[in-house]
Amino acid sequence: MKKDLGRINGKTQLIGLFATPIGHSLSPTMHNLAFKKLGLNYAYLAFEVGNEQLQDVVTGMRALNVRGFNVSMPNKMNILPYLDELADSAKFTGAVNTVVNENGTLIGHSTDGMGYVRNLKEHGIDITGKKMTLVGSGGAATPIAIQSALEGLGEISIFAAMTRFSKERKKMSA
Protein backbone atom coordinates (compact mmCIF):
# COMPACT_ATOMS: atom_id res chain seq x y z
CA MET A 1 0.00 0.00 0.00
CA LYS A 2 1.37 3.39 -1.02
CA LYS A 3 1.85 5.83 1.85
CA ASP A 4 0.03 9.14 1.53
CA LEU A 5 2.04 11.32 3.89
CA GLY A 6 0.97 14.57 2.24
CA ARG A 7 -2.67 14.09 3.21
CA ILE A 8 -2.32 15.57 6.72
CA ASN A 9 -1.90 19.34 6.91
CA GLY A 10 -2.53 22.27 9.23
CA LYS A 11 -6.30 22.08 8.70
CA THR A 12 -6.67 18.33 9.31
CA GLN A 13 -9.22 17.58 12.04
CA LEU A 14 -8.58 14.82 14.56
CA ILE A 15 -11.04 12.04 15.24
CA GLY A 16 -10.20 9.27 17.68
CA LEU A 17 -11.21 6.03 19.31
CA PHE A 18 -10.94 5.46 23.07
CA ALA A 19 -10.85 1.89 24.36
CA THR A 20 -8.75 -0.71 26.09
CA PRO A 21 -7.39 -2.93 24.74
CA ILE A 22 -7.08 -1.11 21.42
CA GLY A 23 -4.04 -2.48 19.58
CA HIS A 24 -6.13 -4.95 17.55
CA SER A 25 -8.55 -2.34 16.21
CA LEU A 26 -9.04 -1.98 12.47
CA SER A 27 -10.99 1.26 12.97
CA PRO A 28 -8.12 3.63 12.07
CA THR A 29 -7.51 1.79 8.79
CA MET A 30 -11.21 1.73 7.86
CA HIS A 31 -11.94 5.32 8.81
CA ASN A 32 -8.82 6.84 7.25
CA LEU A 33 -9.50 4.99 3.99
CA ALA A 34 -13.11 6.24 4.00
CA PHE A 35 -11.98 9.82 4.75
CA LYS A 36 -9.52 9.67 1.85
CA LYS A 37 -12.10 8.28 -0.59
CA LEU A 38 -14.66 10.90 0.49
CA GLY A 39 -12.13 13.75 0.32
CA LEU A 40 -12.52 14.61 4.02
CA ASN A 41 -9.59 16.28 5.78
CA TYR A 42 -9.71 14.11 8.92
CA ALA A 43 -7.23 11.79 10.62
CA TYR A 44 -8.48 8.91 12.79
CA LEU A 45 -6.27 7.60 15.59
CA ALA A 46 -6.79 4.95 18.28
CA PHE A 47 -5.96 5.77 21.90
CA GLU A 48 -5.49 3.26 24.72
CA VAL A 49 -7.86 4.76 27.30
CA GLY A 50 -9.46 3.10 30.30
CA ASN A 51 -11.89 4.50 32.84
CA GLU A 52 -9.05 5.85 35.01
CA GLN A 53 -7.87 8.27 32.29
CA LEU A 54 -11.24 8.98 30.68
CA GLN A 55 -12.07 12.32 32.33
CA ASP A 56 -8.61 13.75 31.59
CA VAL A 57 -8.72 12.49 27.99
CA VAL A 58 -12.16 14.05 27.35
CA THR A 59 -10.91 17.33 28.85
CA GLY A 60 -7.89 17.16 26.53
CA MET A 61 -10.01 16.40 23.47
CA ARG A 62 -12.22 19.37 24.30
CA ALA A 63 -9.15 21.63 24.70
CA LEU A 64 -7.75 20.43 21.36
CA ASN A 65 -11.14 21.05 19.70
CA VAL A 66 -11.17 17.60 18.09
CA ARG A 67 -14.09 17.00 15.73
CA GLY A 68 -15.23 13.90 17.57
CA PHE A 69 -14.36 10.45 18.83
CA ASN A 70 -15.68 6.94 19.18
CA VAL A 71 -15.93 5.25 22.55
CA SER A 72 -15.72 1.53 23.15
CA MET A 73 -15.51 -0.69 26.19
CA PRO A 74 -14.92 -0.12 28.99
CA ASN A 75 -15.79 3.57 28.58
CA LYS A 76 -19.29 3.62 27.03
CA MET A 77 -21.20 4.23 30.27
CA ASN A 78 -18.53 6.05 32.26
CA ILE A 79 -18.18 8.85 29.70
CA LEU A 80 -21.72 10.18 30.26
CA PRO A 81 -20.90 12.71 33.04
CA TYR A 82 -18.07 14.27 31.01
CA LEU A 83 -20.30 15.26 28.07
CA ASP A 84 -22.38 18.41 27.62
CA GLU A 85 -25.42 16.80 26.01
CA LEU A 86 -26.81 13.37 25.18
CA ALA A 87 -28.82 12.54 22.07
CA ASP A 88 -32.02 10.60 22.77
CA SER A 89 -30.35 7.39 21.66
CA ALA A 90 -27.73 7.79 24.39
CA LYS A 91 -30.27 8.85 27.03
CA PHE A 92 -32.36 5.74 26.40
CA THR A 93 -29.43 3.31 26.32
CA GLY A 94 -27.37 4.85 29.11
CA ALA A 95 -24.27 4.49 26.95
CA VAL A 96 -22.35 6.40 24.29
CA ASN A 97 -20.27 5.10 21.41
CA THR A 98 -19.87 8.33 19.42
CA VAL A 99 -19.12 11.88 20.58
CA VAL A 100 -19.47 14.80 18.18
CA ASN A 101 -17.97 18.22 18.93
CA GLU A 102 -20.51 20.80 17.74
CA ASN A 103 -18.81 24.18 18.18
CA GLY A 104 -17.33 23.26 21.57
CA THR A 105 -20.33 21.27 22.82
CA LEU A 106 -19.61 17.56 23.22
CA ILE A 107 -22.72 15.55 22.30
CA GLY A 108 -22.90 11.83 23.03
CA HIS A 109 -24.71 9.43 20.69
CA SER A 110 -25.46 5.73 20.68
CA THR A 111 -25.33 4.71 17.03
CA ASP A 112 -25.35 0.90 17.15
CA GLY A 113 -29.14 0.61 17.03
CA MET A 114 -29.53 3.16 14.25
CA GLY A 115 -26.94 1.38 12.13
CA TYR A 116 -28.55 -2.01 12.70
CA VAL A 117 -32.05 -0.83 11.81
CA ARG A 118 -30.80 1.14 8.79
CA ASN A 119 -29.01 -1.99 7.53
CA LEU A 120 -32.23 -4.00 7.82
CA LYS A 121 -34.12 -1.33 5.84
CA GLU A 122 -31.41 -1.19 3.16
CA HIS A 123 -31.86 -4.94 2.73
CA GLY A 124 -35.63 -4.67 2.35
CA ILE A 125 -36.56 -5.81 5.86
CA ASP A 126 -39.42 -3.87 7.46
CA ILE A 127 -39.61 -4.52 11.22
CA THR A 128 -42.83 -2.59 11.82
CA GLY A 129 -45.19 -4.75 13.85
CA LYS A 130 -42.86 -7.76 13.62
CA LYS A 131 -41.25 -9.92 16.31
CA MET A 132 -37.47 -9.88 16.80
CA THR A 133 -35.25 -12.21 18.79
CA LEU A 134 -31.84 -11.08 20.02
CA VAL A 135 -29.39 -13.68 21.25
CA GLY A 136 -27.13 -11.96 23.77
CA SER A 137 -27.30 -8.75 25.72
CA GLY A 138 -23.87 -7.27 25.12
CA GLY A 139 -23.10 -3.64 24.48
CA ALA A 140 -24.97 -3.43 21.14
CA ALA A 141 -28.12 -5.31 22.22
CA THR A 142 -29.66 -2.48 24.24
CA PRO A 143 -29.38 0.16 21.49
CA ILE A 144 -30.63 -2.33 18.89
CA ALA A 145 -33.66 -3.17 21.05
CA ILE A 146 -34.43 0.49 21.80
CA GLN A 147 -34.06 1.70 18.19
CA SER A 148 -36.14 -1.23 16.95
CA ALA A 149 -38.91 -0.28 19.39
CA LEU A 150 -38.72 3.34 18.24
CA GLU A 151 -39.06 2.10 14.64
CA GLY A 152 -42.32 0.27 15.44
CA LEU A 153 -41.20 -3.26 16.31
CA GLY A 154 -44.17 -5.22 17.66
CA GLU A 155 -42.40 -7.58 20.08
CA ILE A 156 -38.87 -8.45 21.15
CA SER A 157 -37.36 -11.43 22.96
CA ILE A 158 -33.84 -11.21 24.37
CA PHE A 159 -31.96 -14.32 25.43
CA ALA A 160 -29.07 -13.31 27.65
CA ALA A 161 -26.57 -14.46 30.24
CA MET A 162 -25.97 -12.32 33.33
CA THR A 163 -22.78 -10.42 32.44
CA ARG A 164 -20.95 -7.51 34.08
CA PHE A 165 -22.59 -5.17 31.54
CA SER A 166 -26.12 -6.44 32.26
CA LYS A 167 -25.54 -6.27 36.03
CA GLU A 168 -24.43 -2.63 35.71
CA ARG A 169 -27.46 -1.79 33.50
CA LYS A 170 -29.72 -3.43 36.10
CA LYS A 171 -28.14 -1.28 38.87
CA MET A 172 -28.57 1.89 36.77
CA SER A 173 -32.27 1.22 36.19
CA ALA A 174 -33.05 0.47 39.84
Side-chain angles (χ1 to χ4, degrees), residues 131-138 141 156-163:
K131 179 177 181 174
M132 178 186 288
T133 300
L134 291 178
V135 179
S137 63
I156 190 163
S157 298
I158 302 173
F159 295 93
M162 188 58 91
T163 64

Side-chain angles (χ1 to χ4, degrees), residues 40-168:
L40 300 172
N41 194 6
Y42 296 135
Y44 191 97
L45 298 174
F47 298 92
E48 187 86 27
V49 177
N51 291 326
E52 304 77 31
Q53 306 93 4
L54 189 57
Q55 183 175 8
D56 290 339
V57 169
V58 172
T59 299
M61 293 292 112
R62 183 189 306 273
L64 291 170
N65 197 34
V66 301
R67 184 65 181 110
F69 43 92
N70 296 119
V71 182
S72 194
M73 296 308 277
N75 303 313
K76 288 184 173 192
M77 294 180 289
N78 292 349
I79 197 167
L80 299 177
Y82 311 130
L83 303 177
D84 301 311
E85 294 178 19
L86 296 176
D88 286 342
S89 60
K91 288 177 192 172
F92 293 143
T93 61
V96 164
N97 70 351
T98 302
V99 176
V100 178
N101 183 345
E102 294 289 346
N103 301 312
T105 301
L106 298 182
I107 305 168
H109 300 266
S110 178
T111 62
D112 291 331
M114 291 182 286
Y116 183 85
V117 171
R118 183 175 64 216
N119 187 42
L120 291 175
K121 287 179 182 177
E122 288 174 358
H123 287 88
I125 300 170
D126 179 12
I127 63 171
T128 306
K130 304 257 174 69
K131 179 177 181 174
M132 178 186 288
T133 300
L134 291 178
V135 179
S137 63
T142 300
I144 289 170
I146 289 171
Q147 190 65 39
S148 297
L150 292 171
E151 298 283 334
L153 185 70
E155 182 180 340
I156 190 163
S157 298
I158 302 173
F159 295 93
M162 188 58 91
T163 64
R164 181 181 71 64
F165 181 80
S166 59
K167 287 177 187 174
E168 290 204 20

